[in-house]
Amino acid sequence: MSKTEKFVEDTEEYDAMVADEYTKALTPQTDDPNTPAFTFRAVFLGCLWAVFLATANVLFSFRTNSFVIPTGLAQLLSYPMGVFLAWILPKGFLNPGPFSIKEHVLIFIIAGSAGGLPYGVDNVVMQHGKNFINDPAVNMGNSLAFVTASQLIGYGLAGICRRFLVKPAAMLWPGVLPNVALFTALNKVETAGDKTEKYSQTRYSYFFMVFFMIFVFQFFPSLLATSLSTVSLLCLFTTNRTARFLGSGSSFGGIGILAWSFDWTQISVYAPIAVPFYATANLVGGAIIWNWIVTPIFYYTNSFGNPFLVSANRMYSDNTTAPILNSNHIYSKDGERVFVKRPDPENPSKADKYYLLANDFSMDQEKYEAFKPFYLTEAFAGAYLLSFVTIAASISHVILWYGADIKVQFRQALRQTSTAEGLKDTHNVLMEAYPDLPEWIYAAWLAVFTVLSVVVCEITPFHMPWWATLLATFMAIVFTIPIGIIQAVTGSQIGLNVITEFVIGLISPGQTIYMATFKSFGYNVMIQALNLVSDLKLGHYMHISPYAMVTAQLIGTVIGILFNTVGALYIMDSLQSPKIFVDDLWLAQGYNTFLNAAGIWGSIGPARFFGSGTPYFSLNLGFLAGFILPVIPWLLNKYYPNNFWHLINVPLLAFNNTVPGELGALLPALLIGLYTQFFLKRYRTEWFNKYNYVLAIALDSGAAIAVLVITILQAFITEEVTPPPSLLSPGSLDFYCWEQPYTYSG
């Protein structure tokens, strides 16, 4: 019996035991503080990879299912590059000796800080894009100012929270474990997981074996046989239109019941190999229950009084319009799609009557009266209900399970002490060799960039009054620790996007730009802080000086701000191929969701969408349910003590990020997580300790490289790379659900 199968009353003690089981076989247990870290070659290679990842990932953000090239790619390829520089550079400042694992980590940190797309870019795309609001006042200068302000403010918050989210051993951060495994494998650092005679293949060779296998395979669902990206199984085994509609798993169709994806870029969204199985079971299980059971009940009972919503993308072979569930669009009382745009006075069109915005980007009241009430698909409305549940449940869950420990850490922070038992693990002891940044530096940084943010929001087209900037920042500060704890323990990140929309929409209805800017600050400040905290935990495991870590993060963030912002503007204004907003795989659903959210919460406002007398008023019960539901497993644990109750995570059960998009990844993710994180972890422990996280990073990296190669071939070399329509690469991924030939491109 493992330690974690025995009942442990204290939640943080139990989580610390879980963390020890996962990390002891992966992380270095010794350290030499004299190992070179922040060197010329580390900064040079880090900046090189930062530019590449920022440029590539902003392009991939326009995919239907947005895809991010993992920083693991830079982690992989920077190792031979570092060894090469150590071989050719003259000894001295440029070359302090053999390439070290600490240099390798700092390259990864610089690259990763640039490679994650800043949330402020969503605002730039929404306001600047011709397919969106098309505001000519948004230019390169004010876009860079806005993204800079919203990105850098998170540093101060991250530093203040590190006492709660980095130093306690219970804060596992499963998302960084694959990277730790690859660092130790590439740099041939022996850990407890290597001490097995049963499996002789090195982690290094295992990584490359898996990497090349998935690299070759990924060409099929991404190019040669795109029908494999989402296989709608129900449509293949029945002619019943209802079953086919519900089984359709592609965008603007049904909800993908029993759909299956062979595309690792879709499956990897759930990180089933990296995160504990209970987290995958909560996340995927909740999505299956909601999408496959509750949503059809809403649809067939017409719970919200929806009119028949017209799908412009899907028609049956007899030219009858197919119903639609998997959409993030807004519809009028007549079931016609309406757009969060203003008419272009220089290019009037027939579609102008469906554009909701006036010239000042506020709601056109005349059109509002003509179209109201507005409607959403049942799946999209349900996604908002679950968002309400998630945000309320996050607070309730953390207070119930972690409240006592947070109190202890807070008191110690006030006294500037670190006496808790959770801070005396191996890594904390080894990190005592390095000076830490004083907390007043982080507090000062937070204050300075809060003031800068106020100024930027007042004078740029991303206009928001000063008090709203302060309110958004305050909301981020309040939620960072509770949501950070959930991410640190389960590996799943929950955002503040919906609650920020709800709050500002109630305070200032009818303001599209204002709402989107508030959302970015309230959401992005917290997310950026947690991303930085995650990096600090990686540095904690690898025993890197906090000063070196923070400097590396800053360098990467600045590069990311520049290349992500400039790249997004170039893609919208100049890129000819792939056909953004046209091709099935490049519909930019993430940006469409952001725009439509601006319409729902800003232009229309929550009072008009979710207020009394509206079709979606009942969704507000999600807040109440979110506060109450976590009490149930907590009470069961209190009266019937068992570690199982701790594994029921209501915020994850309610966290549904599947609509809209391709819906075939749920079953594969669940089964892969069951096999790796349950069966292999329990019954093949030696294999799991040695190879599991290497497998995770190899799959992510190989698939990423394949998609990148395909995109470069299509966008910058020749469009003839794309095969003509066939059964394997049809015009529409699930044409068979609509009784159409494979040439159908609806």
Side-chain angles (χ1 to χ4, degrees):
M1 177 184 289
S2 70
K3 292 186 295 183
T4 53
E5 292 181 58
K6 301 174 184 177
F7 175 68
V8 178
E9 185 173 358
D10 181 79
T11 303
E12 186 160 1
E13 182 184 349
Y14 175 77
D15 287 337
M17 290 169 56
V18 172
D20 183 66
E21 279 197 356
Y22 277 96
T23 61
K24 201 164 188 179
L26 285 175
T27 57
Q29 301 294 302
T30 59
D31 179 49
D32 178 5
N34 296 317
T35 303
F38 200 80
T39 64
F40 164 79
R41 60 195 179 200
V43 175
F44 172 74
L45 291 177
C47 290
L48 194 67
W49 278 104
V51 170
F52 167 73
L53 288 178
T55 305
N57 283 337
V58 74
L59 172 64
F60 288 145
S61 70
F62 287 86
R63 282 171 60 89
T64 301
N65 283 67
S66 61
F67 174 62
V68 174
I69 295 181
T71 317
L73 176 63
Q75 182 183 10
L76 167 67
L77 298 182
S78 65
Y79 176 73
M81 295 168 75
V83 171
F84 177 72
L85 289 182
W87 179 56
I88 65 165
L89 290 177
K91 300 296 182 183
F93 171 75
L94 297 180
N95 186 358
F99 184 64
S100 75
I101 191 171
K102 296 193 178 187
E103 290 176 282
H104 198 184
V105 173
L106 290 175
I107 293 169
F108 174 83
I109 295 299
I110 295 172
S113 298
L117 192 71
Y119 201 67
V121 170
D122 287 62
N123 296 74
V124 174
V125 172
M126 183 192 81
Q127 289 185 229
H128 179 79
K130 292 181 175 62
N131 292 73
F132 299 128
I133 288 179
N134 193 20
D135 181 1
V138 175
N139 56 39
M140 187 80 70
N142 51 47
S143 295
L144 285 170
F146 176 76
V147 176
T148 298
S150 61
Q151 278 294 92
L152 292 182
I153 192 174
Y155 275 88
L157 186 54
I160 293 170
C161 293
R162 74 197 189 287
R163 176 185 295 271
F164 304 93
L165 301 176
V166 174
K167 295 183 177 180
M171 301 296 104
L172 172 62
W173 291 92
V176 308
L177 298 183
N179 302 114
V180 172
L182 188 55
F183 280 126
T184 57
L186 293 176
N187 292 273
K188 299 178 177 62
V189 174
E190 186 173 298
T191 66
D194 291 302
K195 297 175 182 178
T196 173
E197 297 180 0
K198 190 173 182 181
Y199 303 102
S200 59
Q201 185 178 13
T202 66
R203 287 171 169 173
Y204 190 78
S205 64
Y206 182 80
F207 173 87
F208 281 104
M209 179 186 73
V210 176
F211 177 91
F212 285 115
M213 289 173 64
I214 192 65
F215 173 82
V216 173
F217 179 80
Q218 189 62 41
F219 272 77
F220 289 91
S222 293
L223 178 66
L224 302 175
T226 54
S227 59
L228 295 177
S229 65
T230 301
V231 180
S232 301
L233 295 176
L234 279 183
C235 298
L236 294 176
F237 296 109
T238 181
T239 58
N240 182 277
R241 280 191 173 180
T242 298
R244 285 186 162 193
F245 162 58
L246 294 176
S248 167
S250 64
S251 299
F252 305 111
I255 48 174
I257 294 179
L258 299 182
W260 189 280
S261 177
F262 292 92
D263 186 342
W264 184 254
T265 66
Q266 294 188 33
I267 300 168
S268 64
V269 170
Y270 299 97
I273 300 176
V275 303
F277 176 64
Y278 83 89
T280 301
N282 277 281
L283 191 64
V284 177
I288 287 174
I289 292 170
W290 188 264
N291 289 338
W292 296 359
I293 299 174
V294 179
T295 298
I297 292 173
F298 279 170
Y299 180 78
Y300 286 106
T301 60
N302 199 14
S303 299
F304 305 115
N306 282 16
F308 182 79
L309 303 182
V310 177
S311 172
N313 301 74
R314 300 289 183 259
M315 299 285 289
Y316 287 112
S317 55
D318 58 5
N319 290 326
T320 56
T321 304
I324 185 169
L325 264 178
N326 182 18
S327 167
N328 58 354
H329 295 155
I330 305 172
Y331 298 87
S332 71
K333 63 184 178 184
D334 299 319
E336 296 286 343
R337 182 185 171 187
V338 293
F339 299 83
V340 185
K341 297 177 67 174
R342 65 173 184 173
D344 186 347
E346 297 181 4
N347 297 291
S349 70
K350 293 181 181 179
D352 285 356
K353 66 177 182 178
Y354 297 110
Y355 292 176
L356 297 177
L357 303 187
N359 286 332
D360 63 353
F361 303 110
S362 63
M363 168 63 72
D364 185 318
Q365 290 300 318
E366 185 177 330
K367 289 182 179 177
Y368 168 73
E369 294 297 331
F371 291 137
K372 72 174 186 181
F374 293 101
Y375 289 93
L376 309 172
T377 63
E378 285 79 4
F380 197 30
Y384 276 117
L385 170 61
L386 292 179
S387 296
F388 298 162
V389 174
T390 299
I391 198 66
S394 298
I395 299 172
S396 180
H397 177 87
V398 170
I399 289 174
L400 290 169
W401 293 100
Y402 298 95
D405 296 307
I406 292 174
K407 263 188 206 176
V408 171
Q409 293 291 336
F410 183 71
R411 287 171 183 160
Q412 289 173 354
L414 293 178
R415 298 171 188 163
Q416 293 295 302
T417 62
S418 299
T419 58
E421 287 299 315
L423 302 184
K424 293 301 179 183
D425 68 304
T426 300
H427 300 295
N428 277 300
V429 171
L430 292 174
M431 286 299 290
E432 290 176 358
Y434 303 96
D436 203 353
L437 276 75
E439 291 185 343
W440 69 263
I441 291 181
Y442 291 112
W445 184 280
L446 179 62
V448 168
F449 274 91
T450 299
V451 172
L452 176 63
S453 299
V454 168
V455 173
V456 168
C457 291
E458 283 281 4
I459 66 175
T460 65
F462 307 94
H463 180 69
M464 182 166 66
W466 65 269
W467 60 264
T469 306
L470 297 179
L471 176 59
T473 304
F474 174 75
M475 290 181 66
I477 293 171
V478 168
F479 281 98
T480 295
I481 290 177
I483 290 180
I485 288 174
I486 292 173
Q487 184 178 351
V489 173
T490 68
S492 298
Q493 190 177 78
I494 296 168
L496 291 181
N497 45 336
V498 171
I499 190 64
T500 52
E501 293 165 335
F502 194 88
V503 168
I504 199 61
L506 285 176
I507 296 173
S508 299
Q511 300 299 319
T512 310
I513 306 300
Y514 180 172
M515 190 288 303
T517 302
F518 185 92
K519 172 184 176 180
S520 277
F521 269 89
Y523 175 84
N524 189 63
V525 170
M526 184 198 75
I527 292 301
Q528 178 69 349
L530 292 181
N531 289 342
L532 296 169
V533 166
S534 175
D535 284 346
L536 291 175
K537 186 68 176 187
L538 174 62
H540 190 77
Y541 282 143
M542 304 305 295
H543 317 131
I544 311 287
S545 162
Y547 278 90
M549 288 293 297
V550 172
T551 305
Q553 289 175 320
L554 276 172
I555 292 171
T557 302
V558 171
I559 292 173
I561 289 168
L562 178 62
F563 283 87
N564 278 302
T565 307
V566 173
L569 293 171
Y570 170 79
I571 289 167
M572 289 186 289
D573 294 341
S574 304
L575 188 64
Q576 299 301 314
S577 180
K579 295 182 176 65
I580 305 297
F581 311 118
V582 176
D583 292 350
D584 245 8
L585 296 177
W586 294 91
L587 297 177
Q589 289 287 31
Y591 294 120
N592 270 297
T593 298
F594 189 85
L595 174 70
N596 288 323
I600 294 169
W601 302 98
S603 307
I604 302 169
R608 292 167 171 169
F609 238 115
F610 301 101
S612 179
T614 64
Y616 305 106
F617 176 64
S618 60
L619 299 186
N620 291 294
L621 292 173
F623 289 111
L624 179 61
F627 282 115
I628 293 174
L629 288 175
V631 177
I632 297 173
W634 183 80
L635 285 176
L636 288 170
N637 184 67
K638 190 175 181 66
Y639 292 104
Y640 305 97
N642 192 298
N643 292 332
F644 172 77
W645 305 121
H646 175 60
L647 303 180
I648 299 177
N649 191 301
V650 175
L652 287 190
L653 280 168
F655 184 60
N656 188 353
N657 62 350
T658 56
V659 177
E662 312 298 327
L663 298 177
L666 295 175
L667 283 179
L670 185 64
L671 294 179
I672 290 169
L674 177 65
Y675 179 70
T676 57
Q677 285 283 345
F678 180 77
F679 176 79
L680 291 178
K681 183 176 183 296
R682 174 169 291 200
Y683 300 109
R684 301 290 186 273
T685 305
E686 288 183 67
W687 188 99
F688 180 89
N689 288 340
K690 186 168 185 177
Y691 297 122
N692 184 72
Y693 291 99
V694 178
L695 172 65
I697 196 72
L699 289 171
D700 288 351
S701 301
I705 286 289
V707 174
L708 177 63
V709 169
I710 292 167
T711 302
I712 291 174
L713 289 173
Q714 291 177 323
F716 303 109
I717 298 178
T718 174
E719 292 187 40
E720 295 177 4
V721 170
T722 303
S726 66
L727 287 173
L728 289 177
S729 294
S732 177
L733 295 179
D734 53 3
F735 65 94
Y736 43 89
C737 293
W738 318 110
E739 304 160 7
Q740 295 282 2
Y742 62 77
T743 54
Y744 175 67
S745 59

